[in-house]
Amino acid sequence: MANRDFFSFCTSLKPLELRALGALSQVRHIDAHEEIYKAGDAADALYIINRGMVEIVQENTPRSTDRTYLSRGDIFGDVEVLIDLPRRNSVKTREPVSLQCFARKDLEELTRRVPAFFHYLSEQLASRLFQARNAALSQSHCLELSGYLANFDLVTIYQTIVHSSQTGELTIRDEHDELLAAFHFDAGRIYGGQFQHLTGEEAFEQLFLAENLRGTFAFSSAQTKSSRALQTNMAKRDAGEVLIHALQSRDELDALRQEMPDTCRRLLRQKLEVDLAAMPAEIRPAAQKIWRLASGGRLRLGEIYQKLEVSELKIYVALRELITSGQLELANDVLEEQVA
């Protein structure tokens, strides 16, 4: 699939190819707000993000303030490396990052030892070209921006709407053509909307947290609204900062899911009364509801999301607070059945 990330690609490689990939690349750790390269620099390497987020300043656009944000699994710097041209844009880190760096001088040997890597690069370039061409055609002919989520990623869709200062509604439908999400934009700023049973900022955050999101999307400038587009604080914030927060939330949730794997699902109370005093204020309402739902030890981890009006990230943060303070325990379903 054209939109698979680097880590999904790596799972398809043989052990010998993985060793070659590691031997012909290096890892760089860079602090927040550091410049990776600037426009005009020689293109001596391409980069894949292992962790963190980078910002690309598009120097060659009419609006030099345009920003593009990339995160885990994304590639950058590849075009100039492959055609041996100076850097077109400047790139800097938004937060501490870990980068897998592939030097231009090693690409020939890498292609010989891992032929699939060159095919993967071609696949990613073709996918970006497809997205850019369709977005440009949509805008130039005043048509809807629409397509399959398998061919477009959410970051590209969002940034296309923001950079073109569009006003209208973005809708997402699942594989059965049922409305899954709808968000309203005003002059490139997200105004409000819904995702499944969530609304406003919680909905937008969950849009980027949802795993295996499939179906179709469409952006229309028509005035009809499918969403509960009540104005939220998002409308007052920079559109780029809203996206950055959503992407950072995704990385944080991935880490929390590793702490609380799917094999441990049943929540058991460890104390008679809940104590929320030491928890952050924004987490207390979710923690209180989770505590109530866990009564009797019948609540499973996968059931919580549908019962609360908050994103999965807030649920997992609240769970971590309850578990680390010894108030809840995650028990393995298999062990529970054996005890019973």
Side-chain angles (χ1 to χ4, degrees), residues 52-107:
M53 186 185 307
V54 304
E55 175 185 55
I56 298 178
V57 183
Q58 301 178 37
E59 307 283 1
N60 59 339
T61 63
R63 297 188 308 168
S64 61
T65 56
D66 280 353
R67 302 289 192 272
T68 298
Y69 302 100
L70 302 177
S71 60
R72 177 177 164 82
D74 286 331
I75 302 175
F76 65 95
D78 48 340
V79 174
E80 300 98 330
V81 166
L82 291 173
I83 58 179
D84 194 19
L85 286 178
R87 300 297 189 188
R88 298 179 303 163
N89 307 311
S90 299
V91 181
K92 63 181 181 180
T93 60
R94 292 289 310 196
E95 58 188 11
V97 301
S98 170
L99 302 176
Q100 200 76 28
C101 310
F102 296 86
R104 186 173 186 274
K105 63 181 179 61
D106 294 327
L107 290 184

CSV table of all heavy atoms in Angstrom, one decimal, residues 52-107:
chain,number,residue,atom,x,y,z
A,52,GLY,N,9.6,12.0,17.2
A,52,GLY,CA,9.5,13.4,17.3
A,52,GLY,C,8.9,14.0,16.0
A,52,GLY,O,8.2,13.3,15.2
A,53,MET,N,9.0,15.3,15.9
A,53,MET,CA,8.4,16.1,14.8
A,53,MET,C,9.3,17.2,14.3
A,53,MET,O,10.0,17.8,15.0
A,53,MET,CB,7.1,16.7,15.4
A,53,MET,CG,6.2,17.4,14.3
A,53,MET,SD,4.8,18.3,15.1
A,53,MET,CE,4.1,17.0,16.0
A,54,VAL,N,9.2,17.3,12.9
A,54,VAL,CA,10.0,18.4,12.3
A,54,VAL,C,9.1,19.3,11.5
A,54,VAL,O,7.9,18.9,11.2
A,54,VAL,CB,11.1,17.8,11.3
A,54,VAL,CG1,12.0,16.8,12.0
A,54,VAL,CG2,10.4,17.2,10.1
A,55,GLU,N,9.5,20.5,11.3
A,55,GLU,CA,8.8,21.5,10.6
A,55,GLU,C,9.5,21.9,9.3
A,55,GLU,O,10.7,22.2,9.3
A,55,GLU,CB,8.6,22.8,11.5
A,55,GLU,CG,8.0,24.0,10.8
A,55,GLU,CD,8.0,25.2,11.7
A,55,GLU,OE1,9.0,25.6,12.2
A,55,GLU,OE2,6.9,25.7,11.9
A,56,ILE,N,8.8,21.9,8.2
A,56,ILE,CA,9.4,22.3,6.9
A,56,ILE,C,8.9,23.6,6.5
A,56,ILE,O,7.7,23.8,6.4
A,56,ILE,CB,9.1,21.2,5.8
A,56,ILE,CG1,9.7,19.9,6.1
A,56,ILE,CG2,9.6,21.7,4.4
A,56,ILE,CD1,9.4,18.8,5.1
A,57,VAL,N,9.8,24.6,6.4
A,57,VAL,CA,9.4,25.9,5.9
A,57,VAL,C,9.6,26.0,4.4
A,57,VAL,O,10.7,25.9,3.9
A,57,VAL,CB,10.3,27.0,6.6
A,57,VAL,CG1,9.9,28.4,6.2
A,57,VAL,CG2,10.3,26.9,8.1
A,58,GLN,N,8.5,26.2,3.7
A,58,GLN,CA,8.5,26.1,2.3
A,58,GLN,C,8.9,27.5,1.7
A,58,GLN,O,8.1,28.3,1.4
A,58,GLN,CB,7.1,25.7,1.8
A,58,GLN,CG,6.6,24.4,2.3
A,58,GLN,CD,5.3,24.0,1.9
A,58,GLN,OE1,4.9,24.2,0.7
A,58,GLN,NE2,4.5,23.3,2.8
A,59,GLU,N,10.2,27.6,1.5
A,59,GLU,CA,10.8,28.9,1.1
A,59,GLU,C,10.4,29.2,-0.4
A,59,GLU,O,10.4,30.4,-0.7
A,59,GLU,CB,12.3,28.8,1.1
A,59,GLU,CG,12.9,28.3,2.5
A,59,GLU,CD,12.8,29.4,3.5
A,59,GLU,OE1,12.4,30.5,3.2
A,59,GLU,OE2,13.3,29.2,4.7
A,60,ASN,N,10.1,28.2,-1.2
A,60,ASN,CA,9.9,28.5,-2.6
A,60,ASN,C,8.4,28.7,-2.9
A,60,ASN,O,8.0,28.7,-4.1
A,60,ASN,CB,10.4,27.3,-3.4
A,60,ASN,CG,9.7,26.0,-3.1
A,60,ASN,OD1,9.2,25.9,-2.0
A,60,ASN,ND2,9.8,25.1,-4.0
A,61,THR,N,7.6,29.0,-1.9
A,61,THR,CA,6.2,29.3,-2.2
A,61,THR,C,5.9,30.8,-2.1
A,61,THR,O,6.7,31.5,-1.5
A,61,THR,CB,5.3,28.5,-1.2
A,61,THR,OG1,5.6,29.0,0.1
A,61,THR,CG2,5.5,27.0,-1.2
A,62,PRO,N,4.8,31.2,-2.7
A,62,PRO,CA,4.5,32.7,-2.6
A,62,PRO,C,4.3,33.1,-1.2
A,62,PRO,O,4.7,34.3,-0.9
A,62,PRO,CB,3.2,32.8,-3.4
A,62,PRO,CG,3.2,31.6,-4.3
A,62,PRO,CD,3.9,30.5,-3.6
A,63,ARG,N,3.8,32.2,-0.3
A,63,ARG,CA,3.7,32.6,1.1
A,63,ARG,C,4.8,31.8,1.8
A,63,ARG,O,4.7,30.6,2.1
A,63,ARG,CB,2.3,32.2,1.6
A,63,ARG,CG,1.2,32.9,1.0
A,63,ARG,CD,-0.1,32.6,1.7
A,63,ARG,NE,-0.3,31.2,1.8
A,63,ARG,CZ,-1.3,30.7,2.6
A,63,ARG,NH1,-2.0,31.5,3.3
A,63,ARG,NH2,-1.4,29.4,2.7
A,64,SER,N,5.9,32.5,2.2
A,64,SER,CA,7.0,31.9,2.8
A,64,SER,C,6.7,31.4,4.3
A,64,SER,O,7.5,30.8,4.9
A,64,SER,CB,8.2,32.8,2.9
A,64,SER,OG,7.9,34.0,3.6
A,65,THR,N,5.5,31.8,4.7
A,65,THR,CA,5.1,31.4,6.1
A,65,THR,C,4.4,30.0,6.1
A,65,THR,O,4.1,29.5,7.2
A,65,THR,CB,4.1,32.4,6.7
A,65,THR,OG1,2.9,32.5,5.8
A,65,THR,CG2,4.7,33.8,6.9
A,66,ASP,N,4.2,29.4,4.9
A,66,ASP,CA,3.6,28.1,4.9
A,66,ASP,C,4.5,27.1,5.6
A,66,ASP,O,5.7,27.1,5.5
A,66,ASP,CB,3.5,27.6,3.4
A,66,ASP,CG,2.3,28.2,2.8
A,66,ASP,OD1,1.5,28.8,3.5
A,66,ASP,OD2,2.1,28.0,1.6
A,67,ARG,N,3.9,26.2,6.4
A,67,ARG,CA,4.6,25.2,7.2
A,67,ARG,C,4.0,23.8,6.9
A,67,ARG,O,2.8,23.7,6.8
A,67,ARG,CB,4.5,25.5,8.7
A,67,ARG,CG,5.1,26.9,9.1
A,67,ARG,CD,6.6,27.0,9.0
A,67,ARG,NE,7.1,28.1,9.6
A,67,ARG,CZ,7.3,29.3,9.0
A,67,ARG,NH1,6.9,29.5,7.8
A,67,ARG,NH2,7.8,30.3,9.7
A,68,THR,N,4.9,22.9,6.9
A,68,THR,CA,4.5,21.5,6.8
A,68,THR,C,5.1,20.7,8.0
A,68,THR,O,6.3,20.9,8.3
A,68,THR,CB,4.9,20.8,5.5
A,68,THR,OG1,4.3,21.5,4.4
A,68,THR,CG2,4.5,19.4,5.4
A,69,TYR,N,4.3,19.9,8.6
A,69,TYR,CA,4.8,19.2,9.8
A,69,TYR,C,4.9,17.7,9.5
A,69,TYR,O,3.9,17.1,9.0
A,69,TYR,CB,3.9,19.4,11.0
A,69,TYR,CG,3.9,20.9,11.3
A,69,TYR,CD1,2.8,21.7,11.0
A,69,TYR,CD2,4.9,21.5,12.0
A,69,TYR,CE1,2.7,23.0,11.2
A,69,TYR,CE2,4.9,22.9,12.3
A,69,TYR,CZ,3.8,23.6,11.9
A,69,TYR,OH,3.7,25.0,12.2
A,70,LEU,N,6.0,17.0,9.9
A,70,LEU,CA,6.2,15.6,9.6
A,70,LEU,C,6.5,14.9,11.0
A,70,LEU,O,7.1,15.6,11.8
A,70,LEU,CB,7.3,15.4,8.7
A,70,LEU,CG,7.2,16.0,7.3
A,70,LEU,CD1,8.4,15.7,6.4
A,70,LEU,CD2,5.9,15.5,6.6
A,71,SER,N,6.1,13.7,11.1
A,71,SER,CA,6.3,13.0,12.4
A,71,SER,C,6.8,11.5,12.1
A,71,SER,O,7.1,11.2,10.9
A,71,SER,CB,5.1,13.0,13.3
A,71,SER,OG,4.0,12.4,12.6
A,72,ARG,N,6.7,10.7,13.1
A,72,ARG,CA,7.2,9.3,13.0
A,72,ARG,C,6.9,8.6,11.7
A,72,ARG,O,5.7,8.5,11.3
A,72,ARG,CB,6.7,8.5,14.2
A,72,ARG,CG,7.1,7.1,14.2
A,72,ARG,CD,6.6,6.4,15.5
A,72,ARG,NE,6.6,4.9,15.4
A,72,ARG,CZ,7.7,4.2,15.6
A,72,ARG,NH1,8.8,4.8,16.0
A,72,ARG,NH2,7.7,2.9,15.5
A,73,GLY,N,7.9,8.0,11.1
A,73,GLY,CA,7.7,7.3,9.8
A,73,GLY,C,7.8,8.1,8.6
A,73,GLY,O,7.9,7.5,7.5
A,74,ASP,N,7.8,9.4,8.6
A,74,ASP,CA,7.8,10.3,7.4
A,74,ASP,C,9.2,10.4,6.9
A,74,ASP,O,10.2,10.4,7.7
A,74,ASP,CB,7.2,11.6,7.7
A,74,ASP,CG,5.7,11.6,7.9
A,74,ASP,OD1,5.1,10.7,7.2
A,74,ASP,OD2,5.1,12.4,8.6
A,75,ILE,N,9.3,10.7,5.6
A,75,ILE,CA,10.6,10.9,4.9
A,75,ILE,C,10.7,12.3,4.5
A,75,ILE,O,9.7,12.9,4.0
A,75,ILE,CB,10.7,10.0,3.7
A,75,ILE,CG1,10.6,8.5,4.1
A,75,ILE,CG2,12.0,10.2,3.0
A,75,ILE,CD1,10.5,7.6,2.9
A,76,PHE,N,11.9,12.9,4.6
A,76,PHE,CA,12.1,14.2,4.0
A,76,PHE,C,13.6,14.3,3.5
A,76,PHE,O,14.4,13.5,3.9
A,76,PHE,CB,11.8,15.3,5.0
A,76,PHE,CG,12.7,15.4,6.2
A,76,PHE,CD1,13.8,16.2,6.2
A,76,PHE,CD2,12.4,14.6,7.3
A,76,PHE,CE1,14.6,16.2,7.4
A,76,PHE,CE2,13.2,14.7,8.5
A,76,PHE,CZ,14.3,15.5,8.5
A,77,GLY,N,13.8,15.3,2.6
A,77,GLY,CA,15.1,15.5,2.0
A,77,GLY,C,15.4,14.5,0.9
A,77,GLY,O,16.6,14.5,0.3
A,78,ASP,N,14.5,13.6,0.5
A,78,ASP,CA,14.7,12.6,-0.5
A,78,ASP,C,14.8,13.1,-1.9
A,78,ASP,O,15.6,12.7,-2.7
A,78,ASP,CB,13.7,11.5,-0.4
A,78,ASP,CG,12.3,12.0,-0.3
A,78,ASP,OD1,12.1,13.2,0.0
A,78,ASP,OD2,11.4,11.2,-0.6
A,79,VAL,N,13.9,14.1,-2.3
A,79,VAL,CA,13.9,14.6,-3.6
A,79,VAL,C,15.2,15.2,-4.1
A,79,VAL,O,15.8,14.8,-5.1
A,79,VAL,CB,12.7,15.6,-3.8
A,79,VAL,CG1,12.8,16.2,-5.2
A,79,VAL,CG2,11.4,14.9,-3.5
A,80,GLU,N,15.7,16.1,-3.3
A,80,GLU,CA,17.0,16.8,-3.6
A,80,GLU,C,18.2,15.8,-3.7
A,80,GLU,O,19.0,15.9,-4.5
A,80,GLU,CB,17.3,17.9,-2.6
A,80,GLU,CG,16.3,18.9,-2.5
A,80,GLU,CD,15.4,18.7,-1.3
A,80,GLU,OE1,15.1,17.6,-1.0
A,80,GLU,OE2,14.9,19.7,-0.8
A,81,VAL,N,18.1,14.8,-2.8
A,81,VAL,CA,19.2,13.8,-2.8
A,81,VAL,C,19.2,12.9,-4.1
A,81,VAL,O,20.2,12.7,-4.7
A,81,VAL,CB,19.1,12.8,-1.6
A,81,VAL,CG1,19.9,11.6,-1.7
A,81,VAL,CG2,19.5,13.6,-0.3
A,82,LEU,N,18.0,12.5,-4.5
A,82,LEU,CA,17.9,11.7,-5.7
A,82,LEU,C,18.2,12.4,-7.0
A,82,LEU,O,18.6,11.7,-7.9
A,82,LEU,CB,16.4,11.1,-5.7
A,82,LEU,CG,16.1,10.1,-4.6
A,82,LEU,CD1,14.6,9.7,-4.7
A,82,LEU,CD2,17.0,8.8,-4.7
A,83,ILE,N,17.9,13.7,-7.1
A,83,ILE,CA,18.2,14.4,-8.3
A,83,ILE,C,19.4,15.4,-8.2
A,83,ILE,O,19.7,16.2,-9.0
A,83,ILE,CB,17.0,15.2,-8.8
A,83,ILE,CG1,16.5,16.2,-7.8
A,83,ILE,CG2,15.9,14.2,-9.2
A,83,ILE,CD1,15.3,17.0,-8.2
A,84,ASP,N,20.1,15.3,-7.0
A,84,ASP,CA,21.4,16.0,-6.8
A,84,ASP,C,21.2,17.5,-7.0
A,84,ASP,O,21.9,18.2,-7.8
A,84,ASP,CB,22.5,15.5,-7.7
A,84,ASP,CG,23.8,16.0,-7.2
A,84,ASP,OD1,24.0,16.5,-6.1
A,84,ASP,OD2,24.8,16.0,-8.1
A,85,LEU,N,20.2,18.1,-6.2
A,85,LEU,CA,20.0,19.5,-6.2
A,85,LEU,C,20.1,20.1,-4.8
A,85,LEU,O,19.9,19.4,-3.8
A,85,LEU,CB,18.6,19.8,-6.7
A,85,LEU,CG,18.3,19.7,-8.2
A,85,LEU,CD1,16.8,20.0,-8.5
A,85,LEU,CD2,19.2,20.6,-9.1
A,86,PRO,N,20.4,21.4,-4.7
A,86,PRO,CA,20.5,22.0,-3.3
A,86,PRO,C,19.1,21.9,-2.6
A,86,PRO,O,18.1,21.8,-3.3
A,86,PRO,CB,20.9,23.5,-3.6
A,86,PRO,CG,21.5,23.4,-5.0
A,86,PRO,CD,20.8,22.4,-5.7
A,87,ARG,N,19.1,22.0,-1.3
A,87,ARG,CA,17.9,22.0,-0.6
A,87,ARG,C,16.9,23.1,-1.0
A,87,ARG,O,17.3,24.3,-1.1
A,87,ARG,CB,18.2,22.1,0.9
A,87,ARG,CG,19.1,21.0,1.5
A,87,ARG,CD,18.4,19.7,1.4
A,87,ARG,NE,19.2,18.7,2.2
A,87,ARG,CZ,19.0,17.4,2.1
A,87,ARG,NH1,18.0,16.9,1.4
A,87,ARG,NH2,19.7,16.5,2.8
A,88,ARG,N,15.7,22.8,-1.2
A,88,ARG,CA,14.7,23.8,-1.6
A,88,ARG,C,14.1,24.5,-0.4
A,88,ARG,O,13.7,25.7,-0.5
A,88,ARG,CB,13.5,23.1,-2.4
A,88,ARG,CG,14.0,22.4,-3.7
A,88,ARG,CD,12.8,21.8,-4.3
A,88,ARG,NE,12.1,20.8,-3.4
A,88,ARG,CZ,10.9,20.3,-3.6
A,88,ARG,NH1,10.2,20.8,-4.6
A,88,ARG,NH2,10.4,19.4,-2.8
A,89,ASN,N,14.0,23.8,0.7
A,89,ASN,CA,13.3,24.3,1.9
A,89,ASN,C,14.2,24.2,3.1
A,89,ASN,O,15.2,23.5,3.1
A,89,ASN,CB,12.0,23.6,2.2
A,89,ASN,CG,11.1,23.6,1.0
A,89,ASN,OD1,10.9,24.6,0.4
A,89,ASN,ND2,10.6,22.4,0.6
A,90,SER,N,13.9,24.9,4.2
A,90,SER,CA,14.6,24.7,5.5
A,90,SER,C,13.8,23.8,6.4
A,90,SER,O,12.5,23.8,6.3
A,90,SER,CB,14.7,26.1,6.2
A,90,SER,OG,15.5,27.0,5.4
A,91,VAL,N,14.5,23.0,7.2
A,91,VAL,CA,13.9,22.1,8.1
A,91,VAL,C,14.4,22.2,9.5
A,91,VAL,O,15.7,22.3,9.6
A,91,VAL,CB,14.1,20.6,7.6
A,91,VAL,CG1,13.4,19.6,8.6
A,91,VAL,CG2,13.5,20.4,6.2
A,92,LYS,N,13.6,22.3,10.5
A,92,LYS,CA,14.0,22.4,11.9
A,92,LYS,C,13.1,21.5,12.7
A,92,LYS,O,12.0,21.1,12.4
A,92,LYS,CB,14.0,23.8,12.4
A,92,LYS,CG,12.6,24.5,12.4
A,92,LYS,CD,12.7,25.9,12.9
A,92,LYS,CE,11.3,26.6,13.0
A,92,LYS,NZ,11.4,28.0,13.5
A,93,THR,N,13.6,21.2,13.9
A,93,THR,CA,12.9,20.3,14.8
A,93,THR,C,11.9,21.1,15.6
A,93,THR,O,12.2,22.3,16.1
A,93,THR,CB,13.9,19.6,15.8
A,93,THR,OG1,14.6,20.6,16.5
A,93,THR,CG2,14.8,18.7,15.0
A,94,ARG,N,10.7,20.5,15.9
A,94,ARG,CA,9.7,21.2,16.8
A,94,ARG,C,9.9,20.6,18.2
A,94,ARG,O,9.4,21.3,19.1
A,94,ARG,CB,8.3,20.8,16.3
A,94,ARG,CG,7.9,21.5,15.0
A,94,ARG,CD,7.7,23.0,15.1
A,94,ARG,NE,6.8,23.3,16.2
A,94,ARG,CZ,6.3,24.5,16.3
A,94,ARG,NH1,6.5,25.5,15.4
A,94,ARG,NH2,5.5,24.8,17.3
A,95,GLU,N,10.5,19.5,18.3
A,95,GLU,CA,10.7,18.8,19.6
A,95,GLU,C,11.9,17.9,19.5
A,95,GLU,O,12.4,17.8,18.3
A,95,GLU,CB,9.5,18.0,20.0
A,95,GLU,CG,9.1,17.0,19.0
A,95,GLU,CD,7.7,16.3,19.4
A,95,GLU,OE1,7.0,16.8,20.3
A,95,GLU,OE2,7.4,15.3,18.7
A,96,PRO,N,12.5,17.3,20.5
A,96,PRO,CA,13.6,16.4,20.3
A,96,PRO,C,13.2,15.3,19.4
A,96,PRO,O,12.2,14.7,19.5
A,96,PRO,CB,13.8,15.9,21.8
A,96,PRO,CG,13.3,17.0,22.7
A,96,PRO,CD,12.1,17.5,22.0
A,97,VAL,N,14.1,15.1,18.4
A,97,VAL,CA,13.8,14.0,17.4
A,97,VAL,C,15.0,13.0,17.3
A,97,VAL,O,16.1,13.3,17.7
A,97,VAL,CB,13.6,14.7,16.0
A,97,VAL,CG1,12.5,15.6,16.0
A,97,VAL,CG2,14.9,15.4,15.5
A,98,SER,N,14.6,11.9,16.8
A,98,SER,CA,15.6,10.8,16.4
A,98,SER,C,15.4,10.6,14.9
A,98,SER,O,14.3,10.3,14.5
A,98,SER,CB,15.3,9.6,17.2
A,98,SER,OG,16.1,8.5,16.7
A,99,LEU,N,16.4,10.7,14.2
A,99,LEU,CA,16.4,10.6,12.7
A,99,LEU,C,17.2,9.4,12.2
A,99,LEU,O,18.4,9.2,12.7
A,99,LEU,CB,16.8,11.8,12.0
A,99,LEU,CG,16.1,13.1,12.3
A,99,LEU,CD1,16.8,14.3,11.6
A,99,LEU,CD2,14.6,13.0,11.9
A,100,GLN,N,16.7,8.6,11.3
A,100,GLN,CA,17.5,7.7,10.6
A,100,GLN,C,18.1,8.3,9.3
A,100,GLN,O,17.3,8.8,8.5
A,100,GLN,CB,16.7,6.4,10.2
A,100,GLN,CG,17.5,5.2,9.9
A,100,GLN,CD,18.0,4.5,11.2
A,100,GLN,OE1,17.4,4.7,12.2
A,100,GLN,NE2,19.1,3.8,11.1
A,101,CYS,N,19.4,8.5,9.2
A,101,CYS,CA,20.0,9.2,8.1
A,101,CYS,C,20.6,8.3,7.1
A,101,CYS,O,21.4,7.5,7.5
A,101,CYS,CB,21.0,10.2,8.7
A,101,CYS,SG,20.4,11.2,10.1
A,102,PHE,N,20.3,8.6,5.8
A,102,PHE,CA,20.9,7.8,4.7
A,102,PHE,C,21.7,8.7,3.8
A,102,PHE,O,21.1,9.6,3.2
A,102,PHE,CB,19.8,7.1,3.9
A,102,PHE,CG,19.0,6.1,4.7
A,102,PHE,CD1,17.9,6.5,5.5
A,102,PHE,CD2,19.3,4.7,4.7
A,102,PHE,CE1,17.1,5.6,6.2
A,102,PHE,CE2,18.6,3.8,5.4
A,102,PHE,CZ,17.5,4.2,6.2
A,103,ALA,N,23.0,8.5,3.9
A,103,ALA,CA,23.9,9.4,3.1
A,103,ALA,C,23.8,9.1,1.6
A,103,ALA,O,23.6,8.0,1.2
A,103,ALA,CB,25.4,9.2,3.5
A,104,ARG,N,23.9,10.2,0.8
A,104,ARG,CA,23.7,10.1,-0.6
A,104,ARG,C,24.8,9.1,-1.2
A,104,ARG,O,24.5,8.3,-2.1
A,104,ARG,CB,23.8,11.5,-1.3
A,104,ARG,CG,23.6,11.5,-2.8
A,104,ARG,CD,23.5,12.9,-3.3
A,104,ARG,NE,23.1,12.9,-4.7
A,104,ARG,CZ,24.0,12.7,-5.7
A,104,ARG,NH1,25.3,12.6,-5.4
A,104,ARG,NH2,23.6,12.7,-6.9
A,105,LYS,N,26.0,9.2,-0.7
A,105,LYS,CA,27.1,8.3,-1.2
A,105,LYS,C,26.8,6.9,-1.0
A,105,LYS,O,27.5,6.0,-1.6
A,105,LYS,CB,28.4,8.8,-0.5
A,105,LYS,CG,28.4,8.5,1.0
A,105,LYS,CD,29.8,9.0,1.6
A,105,LYS,CE,29.8,8.8,3.1
A,105,LYS,NZ,29.6,7.4,3.5
A,106,ASP,N,25.9,6.5,0.0
A,106,ASP,CA,25.7,5.1,0.3
A,106,ASP,C,24.4,4.5,-0.4
A,106,ASP,O,24.2,3.3,-0.3
A,106,ASP,CB,25.5,4.9,1.8
A,106,ASP,CG,26.7,5.2,2.6
A,106,ASP,OD1,27.8,4.9,2.0
A,106,ASP,OD2,26.6,5.7,3.7
A,107,LEU,N,23.7,5.4,-1.2
A,107,LEU,CA,22.5,4.9,-1.8
A,107,LEU,C,22.7,3.8,-2.8
A,107,LEU,O,21.8,2.9,-2.9
A,107,LEU,CB,21.7,6.1,-2.4
A,107,LEU,CG,21.1,7.1,-1.4
A,107,LEU,CD1,20.3,8.2,-2.1
A,107,LEU,CD2,20.2,6.4,-0.4
